[in-house]
Each structure stands twice: as C-alpha cells, then as structure tokens.
Amino acid sequence: MSQLSSFRSIQALGDALRQRQVSATEIAADALRAARQHPDPNVFLHLDDDLTLAQAQAADQALASGQAGPLTGIPIAHKDLFVTRGWRTTAASRMLADYVSPFDATVVGQLRQAGAVSLGKLSCDEFAMGSSNENSAFGPVQNPWDPSRIPGGSSGGSAAAVAAGLVLGATGTDTGGSVRQPAAYCGVSGIKPTYGTVSRYGIIAYASSLDQAGPLARSAQDLVPLLDAISGFDPKDSTSLETCDGQANAPGRVQAAYGQAQAGFQAAGALPLKGLRIGVPREFFNEGLAADVGAAIEAALQVFQSLGAVRVDVSLPRTRLAIPAYYVIAPAEASSNLSRYDGVRYGHRADHYTDLADMTTRSRTEGFGDEVRRRILVGTYVLSHGYYDAYYLQAQRVRRMIADDFQRVLAQDCDVIMGPVTPTTARRIGDNRQDPIADWLSDIYTLGVNLAGLPGLSIPCGFGGDSGRLPIGLQVIGRYFDEGRLLALADRYQQATDWHTHTPEHA
C-alpha cells in the first residue's frame, strides 16, 4: 500500500502537508514507486522521476514559506492529450510516439502554478477517439475494479489512475462524454465544465467545437480546487470566454459559486435542497438502460428527494439524434484537425516510399490506428462536395435543436437535470472488437451536453454488473456556468452516501 492511499482527499493530504506531517517530496517519490509497481503497465505512458521530484521540491519550499495553496504538493497526472515540457506527449498514437512539446498546455501550467505535482502522462484513446481506452497504440487500460473490463474512454487512464489511488486528481478532456463516462465506469467523480470556461490551448485537438478539459478526482469536494485552478480566460485560445454570465472568467469563480451554494444549503437546515427542481428526462429511461443502472439512478434520485428536492418529469425529445449528429460533426472536425499529420510537417514519417503522395499515404497509414482512420474517412466524406449539405449542415441544425431542448427544460421546468451517465456498467475488453460502432451507443446520455456546451458531471451512485461490484455513475447537468452549484449539489449527495469512498480491493 502506498503512503498516498492513506489520504482519501485532497484536503486531508493538504492539511498534512501544511502541518509538516509529511513532505511533498516523500509523497511524490512514494507515488512514483506505486505507479511503476501498479499491475496495469498501460495506465501511465510516461513517468520521469527528475521532473516530478523537482516540482515536489518546489512545493516543499512553498509550504515552508507559508505560501501554499489548496493544491500545493498534491500529486496529479495529465491525460496524454495535454502537451507538456519534458514529458512526452503522444496522444496515445504512433503518429506522435516520440514528441516532446517545447511548451506546456495552459491547463498544465495553471495546475503547476497552483502547486500541484505532476507524476506524468496518462493513457487515453488515440487522439481521444474512443469510449473504452482500447484504442491506445500502447495497449488497453484495465478497469481497477475488474481488470477484464474497460475503464471507459477516452480519459480512461485518468479515471483508472484516480480509482486505483495512484493520484488524487487527473486532467481529462470531454468531447462527447470522455470525462464523465470513464468516471462512471471507474467509480470516481468527474466534471465537464461549460464550453469556453477552460482553455483548450495546448490540448491536441480532436473536435474543436466540442473538446473541453475537465478534472477527475474521488469526490466532488476534491474537484472544486482542481476546476477552480484551471478555469479562466486565455487570450491564446480563440474559444476562451472572458466573462461567465457577467462574472469574470478567472480562478476563484468556481470556488465562490460553490461556497455560496453551500451556504444556502446550510441555511436551509434539515432539508438543504428544499425547492430544488430535478428534471428527469423520460428519454434517459428507455429500453436500452440496464435494470441495475436504472435502479441505482432511482435510488440516487430518492436521496436527493429526501434532502428536499422535487422530481420533475421532463422531455428531451431529440436525445436519440445526438448520436448521428455527433458522429457527423466530430469526425468532420477531426478530419480537418488531423490533416496536419502528413509526415512532412508533423508526426511519423514512413521509412520507405516512392514519392510525396506515397510518403503521406504510408506515413498516415502507419501512424494512425483503425479508429482514427475510420473517423477521418467519415469526416472527409461528410465534408466532401455533394454531401456537405446533406450531412454536415443537417447535423449542425440538429445540434442547435438539441441545445434548444436543454435550454428550454432548464429555463422553464427544472433547475438541474439528472439521469444515468451510461446505459450499462463497463463491458469486457474486446467485447466490441467486431462491431466498433457499438461503443458509440454508450455515449447516448452524454453527447447532448457537449453538443449544447453545457456543464455536466458524473458521481458514483452504486454498483451493478454480473459481479455486483462494477461502479455506476449519476449524471448531473446544469445551466451554463453553473459548475460551482453542480459541485455543491454533488457534495451534498456525497455527504449523505458513501459510494465515492469505495475503492477497488487492491487500491
């Protein structure tokens, strides 16, 4: 058992560090050992003791000078989609197998400035394309609850590392559910913030109008300082927002909203959530939802009702259209973003070729995996002459209608929306090898949030599956810029339950 595993929250470790009961360097060294000894070798794609310990030593200096913040000395790790100085950034692809960035992504720099200590880079689906973490060029990641199961994707390495106790927090990206879905499968908490509130600068792009960075941690309480540190306007990102509903988009916004919501709950007494209207979309409870997942979600809703909330039946009629809309828009943007990897300017170059066209073809064929090639082909097709209007333009129209559905419900019928994150618990590794499109169905409840640009989070709410020990996640969706209140609601639920405290047997 690692020393880190004895601290079950960021606050607990932070208190111990500030009281000098343990040093950041000791914790970092121990965490590095645990990461190397972990039975799944594919969780981390790159570790570097010198880089990590240098950050830990800087954290100890800040602690000694009394300048420590809530994240000073806290061990985290980054999804291998965030570019980092020193550590390799591969996007889990052979195309970038040896790439080392000369600069840090904005999110990486923000967390380093906040004092967090990075252990290294975590596995993901190649270029974030996937829902299982089986698409990594370096091998699939195992779910810590059952090594025969997927951890989810594309941020599967991030969720698995937190669940296994290797780090207390991790960065992820969410293009269609890629923070929330692996958080649900691995029994941890994860949030996708409102599009534009967190910088995308330095994140290797998949679908630029959908990609959004978000943190994963054990609990909603632990997510607060992580999200607060990375939220803020970034002039280097053209999609970054300067203001959030009249407030400056800056560190402190999420923490202040969280504190304000908690104060209101506290003042309400025995029924802290009295008057809260929870919208439950009837389309989320269809024939595709497994019975065990549905039962866990119903039980979670009852907990919220016991705290004073009111359940409201709502409709998101275009839920089923989210899958076809997303899988036109996202591949179209991916085909454009990945066109730069041609063997000339960026990425892998084939050793043997006859001319420039052959070099590009061979380099891309060798560098990209099956799922990436599949999505590039789909995206190129829907953008081609004669098909743009029929597919891409129509998908964008459907996207607007899906966003309108969410906004109508949240404006007129309820304050938040709740439901399942995924239709089932984590499947076995290799189950969909013959039908790769089957994985797309697991995103049916998450895609709409990305298409609308809304904030959403996943928190553990039970167990199911054949063994009865596979985690299930509850999804909480809010209005634009509502991250602080969503995290406060999730924390209230976690104060009343203990699902988020459960850990895999070996962790």
Side-chain angles (χ1 to χ4, degrees), residues 210-463:
L210 298 164
D211 297 342
Q212 186 62 89
L216 298 96
R218 287 196 181 277
S219 67
Q221 187 179 60
D222 278 357
L223 290 175
V224 175
L226 292 167
L227 181 59
D228 192 67
I230 64 176
S231 295
F233 171 66
D234 181 5
K236 298 189 292 292
D237 174 10
S238 62
T239 63
S240 182
L241 298 172
E242 293 189 51
T243 60
C244 300
D245 197 22
Q247 287 186 304
N249 183 22
R253 177 185 69 89
V254 172
Q255 183 70 59
Y258 175 82
Q260 183 178 7
Q262 290 284 30
F265 298 155
Q266 188 67 28
L271 295 174
L273 305 186
K274 185 177 181 179
L276 178 76
R277 299 171 300 164
I278 298 175
V280 182
R282 63 181 68 103
E283 291 82 5
F284 284 20
F285 293 82
N286 53 29
E287 67 278 2
L289 183 67
D292 52 355
V293 176
I297 301 302
E298 288 289 348
L301 291 170
Q302 290 176 20
V303 172
F304 279 99
Q305 289 176 279
S306 73
L307 296 173
V310 176
R311 176 172 175 165
V312 180
D313 183 47
V314 300
S315 177
L316 297 172
R318 298 177 178 90
T319 295
R320 287 188 175 275
L321 296 179
I323 292 178
Y326 176 89
Y327 283 103
V328 168
I329 295 169
E333 296 185 11
S335 71
S336 176
N337 281 326
L338 272 63
S339 64
R340 72 193 71 179
Y341 303 107
D342 55 8
V344 177
R345 294 165 295 175
Y346 300 99
H348 167 77
R349 178 182 293 185
D351 292 330
H352 306 288
Y353 49 86
T354 57
D355 55 24
L356 182 60
D358 185 51
M359 182 197 73
T360 300
T361 300
R362 290 179 181 273
S363 297
R364 290 168 67 83
T365 301
E366 293 173 9
F368 291 136
D370 290 343
E371 184 64 20
V372 174
R373 292 199 296 267
R374 186 179 297 116
R375 297 196 191 195
I376 289 174
L377 289 170
V378 169
T380 303
Y381 178 81
V382 301
L383 290 176
S384 62
H385 179 69
Y387 297 100
Y388 178 91
D389 288 349
Y391 292 103
Y392 185 72
L393 188 59
Q394 287 288 77
Q396 291 287 15
R397 289 169 176 160
V398 171
R399 177 182 191 170
R400 181 68 265 165
M401 290 188 287
I402 290 171
D404 287 344
D405 285 344
F406 275 102
Q407 291 184 53
R408 171 184 51 78
V409 166
L410 287 166
Q412 300 176 6
D413 302 325
C414 62
D415 303 304
V416 294
I417 295 170
M418 294 188 188
V421 179
T422 60
T424 66
T425 54
R427 64 169 175 81
R428 286 185 172 81
I429 295 172
D431 272 2
N432 288 345
R433 188 169 290 123
Q434 302 304 316
D435 185 12
I437 296 176
D439 266 349
W440 297 5
L441 298 175
S442 68
D443 301 329
I444 189 168
Y445 305 131
T446 57
L447 294 176
V449 175
N450 296 82
L451 291 168
L454 291 165
L457 74 124
S458 172
I459 51 175
C461 69
F463 292 94

Side-chain angles (χ1 to χ4, degrees), residues 78-85 87-91 96 99-110 121 127 171-173 198-206 208 211-213 234-240 340-341:
H78 296 292
K79 182 178 182 178
D80 200 31
L81 219 61
F82 294 81
V83 299
T84 45
R85 286 181 293 176
W87 288 282
R88 289 192 302 271
T89 302
T90 70
L96 293 172
Y99 176 67
V100 179
S101 171
F103 67 97
D104 282 330
T106 296
V107 165
V108 172
Q110 288 168 320
K121 306 303 286 294
F127 285 98
T171 56
T173 61
V198 176
S199 175
R200 296 189 305 108
Y201 182 75
I203 299 174
I204 296 175
Y206 164 22
S208 302
D211 297 342
Q212 186 62 89
D234 181 5
K236 298 189 292 292
D237 174 10
S238 62
T239 63
S240 182
R340 72 193 71 179
Y341 303 107

